[in-house]
């Protein structure tokens, strides 16, 4: 029974760089001219036979019932291939999508590179308006920029389709934020839009209360605070009762009992005008949330940068 080592010794003896076959080859130049090709061919044939014989021996060593040959310890733990999994942002995004899909929303996607019309003008954010600062994003050249919200996709849908519209738009967005534990120049957003006759603020409240309960648990309370967005009127910031302390007050909620999770409002009539809908005929609700923020709250992650560093020890935990 040959061991792998003795087989390797045989290989080196015959086929190695200084082996017997190489020595034969080295004598070729000394032969008469007409014999050279004949002998060279013979040597090559011989080499091939040796190679084949060694390969066959090797095969015999690794296959067959190794247990009987006494080489394998069957009590050793097996080896597994590393299993892949979804990134925590992808997981959270899928969860958000599934909730809205179950409520009859469709999912729409669009380009990350946009024009000023879709990113600003159509959303009632005029060139010189101060509210543009928060969204003023990365320009590739004049009038070509990375979108700062996925509302751009909603504008594209409204341009193409008539109400009723009920859709969510997940995707990457870009903002001029300095990176720290809770900010990133790139994050993922899910925006939602519902447009029809007689969509009311109560629909918005009902929809988002239902969403927060499905996402964070049945006992989650929802609170709407007045706010401002250029594309909605009225606008609200939406808080949920703290999922750590259930509203009693703790470090995570800065002892307020509440956590801010999304922005929302009724679609500003000027947005409808920009896409050619009649604001007298239709009303709409809209909302937007940062997926990273939702994932951080849900999984208790304290630094947004962990999502993008791709440290396998972090990613393995989800
Ligand atoms: C946020 C808050 C929000 C919207 C997004 C929207 C879109 C259209 C019309 C009106 Cl087409 N509104 N989207 C409304 C309110 C808030 O996002 O920045 N969350 C990360």
């Amino acid at each position: 029974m040959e061991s792998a080592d003795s087989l390797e010794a045989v290989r080196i003896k015959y086929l190695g760089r200084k082996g017997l076959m190489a020595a034969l080859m080295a004598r070729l130049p000394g032969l008469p001219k007409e014999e050279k090709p004949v002998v060279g061919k013979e040597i090559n044939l011989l080499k091939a036979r040796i190679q084949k014989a060694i390969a066959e021996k090797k095969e015999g060593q690794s296959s067959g019932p190794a247990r009987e040959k006494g080489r394998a310890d069957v009590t050793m733990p097996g080896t597994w291939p590393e299993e892949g999994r979804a990134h925590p942002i992808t997981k959270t995004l899928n969860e958000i999508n599934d909730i809205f899909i179950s409520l009859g929303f469709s999912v729409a996607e669009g380009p990350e590179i946009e024009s000023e019309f879709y990113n600003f003008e159509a959303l009632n954010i005029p060139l010189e308006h101060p509210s543009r600062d928060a969204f003023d994003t990365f320009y590739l050249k004049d009038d070509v920029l990375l979108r700062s919200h996925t509302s751009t996709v909603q504008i594209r849908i409204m341009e193409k389709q008539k109400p009723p519209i009920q859709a969510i738009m997940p995707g990457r967005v870009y903002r001029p934020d300095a990176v720290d534990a809770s900010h990133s120049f790139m994050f993922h957003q899910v925006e939602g839009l519902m447009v029809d006759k007689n969509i009311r603020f109560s629909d918005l409240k009902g929809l988002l209360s239902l969403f927060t309960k499905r996402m964070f648990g049945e006992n989650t309370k929802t609170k709407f605070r007045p706010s401002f967005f250029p594309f909605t009127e009225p606008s609200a910031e939406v808080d949920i009762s703290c999922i750590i302390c259930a509203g009693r007050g703790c470090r995570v909620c800065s002892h307020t009992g509440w956590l801010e999770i999304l922005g929302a409002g009724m679609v500003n009539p000027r947005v409808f005008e920009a896409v050619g809908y009649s604001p007298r005929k239709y009303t709409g609700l809209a909302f937007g949330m940062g997926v990273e923020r939702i994932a951080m709250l849900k999984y208790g992650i304290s630094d947004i940068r962990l999502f993008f560093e791709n440290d396998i020890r972090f990613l393995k935990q989800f």
Side-chain angles (χ1 to χ4, degrees):
M1 185 163 52
E2 282 91 358
S3 72
D5 282 350
S6 63
L7 199 56
E8 177 61 8
V10 170
R11 192 193 65 80
I12 291 169
K13 180 175 172 192
Y14 288 95
L15 302 174
R17 215 154 37 85
K18 293 181 181 161
L20 292 172
M21 298 312 292
L24 273 183
M25 273 298 200
R27 287 168 61 187
L28 263 189
L31 290 179
K33 202 172 161 214
E34 46 312 340
E35 283 182 24
K36 274 187 205 171
V38 188
V39 177
K41 202 173 163 197
E42 283 298 322
I43 297 176
N44 279 333
L45 281 174
L46 190 56
K47 248 168 102 171
R49 277 177 62 189
I50 298 172
Q51 269 162 351
K52 195 167 164 232
I54 292 178
E56 277 167 10
K57 280 278 180 206
K58 232 182 205 158
E59 185 99 335
Q61 278 185 346
S62 54
S63 69
R67 203 166 6 125
E68 281 165 29
K69 294 183 190 167
R71 275 189 229 104
D73 178 356
V74 293
T75 64
M76 292 271 282
T79 52
W80 281 262
E82 277 280 345
E83 214 179 311
R85 67 186 72 205
H87 189 280
I89 292 302
T90 308
K91 255 184 93 169
T92 309
L93 197 54
N94 289 342
E95 264 182 78
I96 298 170
N97 288 351
D98 286 347
I99 294 173
F100 285 106
I101 289 168
S102 81
L103 295 170
F105 282 73
S106 53
V107 179
E109 290 182 311
E112 287 176 33
I113 298 175
E114 269 293 2
S115 69
E116 289 182 314
F117 174 76
Y118 290 104
N119 202 67
F120 295 122
E121 263 86 65
L123 288 159
N124 190 37
I125 315 176
L127 191 55
E128 299 304 334
H129 198 278
S131 69
R132 188 134 157 185
D133 290 354
F135 304 116
D136 225 350
T137 170
F138 300 92
Y139 277 76
L140 305 180
K141 55 182 179 189
D142 267 359
D143 200 27
V144 182
L145 48 91
L146 299 181
R147 68 182 179 195
S148 50
H149 26 228
T150 57
S151 326
T152 52
V153 187
Q154 304 178 330
I155 300 296
R156 287 171 181 278
I157 290 180
M158 288 192 280
E159 279 180 338
K160 278 205 251 48
Q161 268 170 251
K162 283 179 120 144
I165 286 179
Q166 193 182 7
I168 54 167
M169 301 83 196
R172 286 200 185 96
V173 299
Y174 302 83
R175 297 205 181 160
D177 285 330
V179 176
D180 64 23
S182 54
H183 294 85
S184 171
F185 56 85
M186 185 283 291
F187 63 96
H188 296 74
Q189 213 191 13
V190 176
E191 287 211 9
L193 179 71
M194 235 172 123
V195 183
D196 203 350
K197 293 172 182 151
N198 291 319
I199 300 282
R200 302 160 192 204
F201 199 84
S202 53
D203 295 314
L204 179 67
K205 286 191 85 171
L207 174 68
L208 293 180
S209 305
L210 201 146
F211 166 73
T212 57
K213 282 189 202 300
R214 293 255 183 104
M215 194 70 197
F216 294 101
E218 279 304 312
N219 295 326
T220 311
K221 290 199 198 70
T222 307
K223 179 169 81 168
F224 284 64
R225 277 181 292 111
S227 185
F228 172 81
F229 299 110
F231 26 86
T232 45
E233 183 60 38
S235 304
E237 222 111 33
V238 180
D239 296 347
I240 54 167
S241 49
C242 180
I243 51 175
I244 306 293
C245 65
R248 283 183 291 273
C250 68
R251 241 185 39 215
V252 173
C253 59
S254 310
H255 303 283
T256 62
W258 297 95
L259 297 165
E260 185 190 321
I261 57 151
L262 51 84
M266 301 307 288
V267 178
N268 192 312
R270 301 187 73 155
V271 175
F272 285 149
E273 277 161 12
V275 297
Y277 284 4
S278 163
R280 277 177 302 284
K281 205 165 159 193
Y282 297 113
T283 51
L285 63 83
F287 57 89
M289 66 189 92
V291 180
E292 279 75 1
R293 181 156 173 80
I294 306 263
M296 285 169 81
L297 290 174
K298 194 162 167 133
Y299 295 114
I301 296 162
S302 56
D303 196 317
I304 195 171
R305 290 168 287 201
L306 287 164
F307 290 124
F308 310 121
E309 282 167 358
N310 281 337
D311 186 329
I312 200 82
R313 292 167 300 180
F314 170 74
L315 297 174
K316 265 183 166 173
Q317 298 175 48
F318 303 96

